[in-house]
Amino acid sequence: MAVEMLKNYIGGQWVEGSGEVLENRNPADTEDLICTFRQSTPEDVAKAVEAAERAFHEWRRVPAPIRGNILRRACRMIEEQKEELARIQTREMGKPLVETRGDVQEAIDTGYWMAGEGRRLYGFTTPSELRDKWNMTYRAPVGVCTLITPWNFPTAIPAWKIFPALICGNAVVFKPAEDVPLSADRLVRIFTEAGVPPGVINLVHGDGAPISDALITDPRVRLVSFTGSCEVGRIISEKCGRHLKKHSLEMGGKNVQVVMEDADLELAVDGALWGAFGTSGQRCTATSRLLLQEGIMDAFMERFLGRVRELKVGNGLGEEDINVGPIINQRQLERILGYLEKAREEGLEPVIGGRQLTEGEYAKGYFIEPTVFVGVTPEHTIWREEVFGPVLAVASFADLEEAIALANRTTYGLSASIYTRDLRKAFVFLNEVETGLVYVNAPTIGAESHMPFGGVKDTGNGHREASLTVLEIFTEWKAINIDYSGSFQRAQIDVVTE
Ligand code: UN1
């Protein structure tokens, strides 16, 4: 069967990009060519922005509950196609089916939540200090939004951005990661078939760097929403800053799981295993540091390493019991191997794992063994930098105070978890740890779509996706003042004080 050549979607038309042909291959088996597509050029992006700008003015006038009906239809279609979308994801980016089904489910949950928002989008009314004057507010759309999304959640993260953007009345230019173009294609098809009008959602494929100016600095683009690395986020933020664009960034993490001596160790082992090695550690919420109280260090590590040894690494499309899929691509593989090398240069030796898997079933993919380093300190590179791979740094601590200090010894601030049976310790930790998400007796991954998602410090720039907080990103407050007194009244000046 001929390999499908994906197209961009601009102004309601499927059109080929103008740049070079790129390939989309399965990271578990690089002989599996999934589809091809063309790199978009700045001209392609400009057309998408133009189409979005034109469509925006119609779409923003569609009553929000009606926009909600269209989005609800899209949710139903995603639900119907859940298994197919999950399989596409696994083939494109490798995480096991159990996880890609969860990814699609996260998109469905977000979609229904946001479709319902069409009948809320609450503003507020408030008294005026002047007589016979009414003050009220509402949420207006921002305009054309550029959405730049990563490959690790190929349906969920685009959905986190597209659903709220559309319910609020914005039009979007969607630039998915070049590793997952097929998931993006299928998602956009669903929105169009559900009735999202032409131009309201536009899709441009390819590597972001050559088209970043077109995506970001075009005067018609009002907002950029990005999920990805800090490195790219900074570039985007600089461009947005210079051009005064609203922008929301959701970036890296160096997430910690703390285990106190009083914890349920089995539970904590389950948590660390899933947090560190789920999605092969390729989550911004992945557990990359594990802090163990001294008294349980040995007992915990014995159980934990036993379980790490049992993890099945492989092609997520194969048997259902695969726990750890491949690394997304050659570049990331090399990056992770570079961190392993660096750790060794800095005097660390893995207590388990530490190698690329290249034999047999692994020969055609990008696989790395689940890897654990013990005795890692804040001076080590793997303590400080986000590896985005199946690599866990373990250290011990004496008491809660030290655990909190160590947890906060990072420039990132996304997710943190503590395992303890002591309520007081849990509360002290959740208050003192510098992250946007905190878990008690649960792993650092697994955020729900109706809770604010995002972090502090270098993880973000002050926004929260998901839940109601995402509306702050995709709307602008309009403050309305209606003076029906018929007289000339000045605020602060013509105020009747008694
Ligand atoms: C990400 O890794 O970018 O909390 C998002 C979680 C998922 C989302 C992760 N619900 O791990």
Side-chain angles (χ1 to χ4, degrees), residues 256-276 287 289-293 296 300 304 397 400 403 415-427 429-430 438-446:
V256 75
Q257 175 177 320
V258 170
V259 185
M260 304 301 298
E261 278 166 6
D262 62 48
D264 176 336
L265 286 198
E266 287 303 331
L267 203 61
V269 165
D270 280 334
L273 213 60
W274 175 228
T287 306
R289 295 179 299 147
L290 175 65
L291 302 180
L292 305 173
Q293 196 164 12
I296 46 122
F300 184 96
F304 180 61
F397 63 87
L400 182 63
S415 185
S417 127
I418 186 167
Y419 281 78
T420 178
R421 287 193 175 100
D422 183 334
L423 198 60
R424 197 194 79 81
K425 291 192 180 108
F427 269 86
F429 181 80
L430 67 85
V438 187
Y439 293 87
V440 176
N441 295 329
T444 61
I445 67 177

Side-chain angles (χ1 to χ4, degrees), residues 106 152-153 157 160 227 250 283-285 445-447 453:
E106 198 163 346
N152 64 340
F153 279 81
I157 293 182
W160 282 6
T227 300
E250 205 283 289
R283 289 196 192 206
C284 55
T285 51
I445 67 177
F453 186 91

Side-chain angles (χ1 to χ4, degrees), residues 149-329:
T149 57
W151 45 263
N152 64 340
F153 279 81
T155 311
I157 293 182
W160 282 6
K161 298 184 195 294
I162 294 172
F163 277 111
L166 296 191
I167 198 65
C168 294
N170 303 287
V172 308
V173 175
F174 168 34
K175 207 300 282 174
E178 60 275 25
D179 301 282
V180 287
L182 190 58
S183 293
D185 176 284
R186 295 303 187 255
L187 186 63
V188 168
R189 279 177 201 277
I190 286 173
F191 280 110
T192 62
E193 283 162 31
V196 173
V200 172
I201 182 165
N202 302 277
L203 167 68
V204 289
H205 287 296
D207 176 15
I211 49 174
S212 63
D213 278 330
L215 285 167
I216 297 165
T217 65
D218 188 305
R220 296 166 293 188
V221 171
R222 295 310 318 154
L223 174 144
V224 179
S225 178
F226 167 76
T227 300
S229 71
C230 260
E231 198 188 335
V232 174
R234 277 182 211 280
I235 297 169
I236 290 175
S237 193
E238 280 165 15
K239 286 187 201 284
C240 286
R242 202 169 330 116
H243 292 267
L244 301 175
K245 311 276 188 203
K246 187 173 187 183
H247 59 294
S248 71
L249 306 173
E250 205 283 289
M251 302 175 290
K254 199 68 211 174
N255 313 296
V256 75
Q257 175 177 320
V258 170
V259 185
M260 304 301 298
E261 278 166 6
D262 62 48
D264 176 336
L265 286 198
E266 287 303 331
L267 203 61
V269 165
D270 280 334
L273 213 60
W274 175 228
F277 302 119
T279 325
S280 309
Q282 302 172 112
R283 289 196 192 206
C284 55
T285 51
T287 306
S288 58
R289 295 179 299 147
L290 175 65
L291 302 180
L292 305 173
Q293 196 164 12
E294 280 155 6
I296 46 122
M297 181 83 189
D298 293 343
F300 184 96
M301 284 311 287
E302 197 189 313
R303 286 177 213 216
F304 180 61
L305 293 179
R307 296 282 301 281
V308 175
R309 216 163 282 125
E310 285 168 13
L311 289 175
K312 275 189 83 171
V313 180
N315 185 338
L317 280 179
E319 293 137 54
E320 288 270 336
D321 63 347
I322 293 295
N323 307 108
V324 182
I327 304 305
I328 185 68
N329 56 35

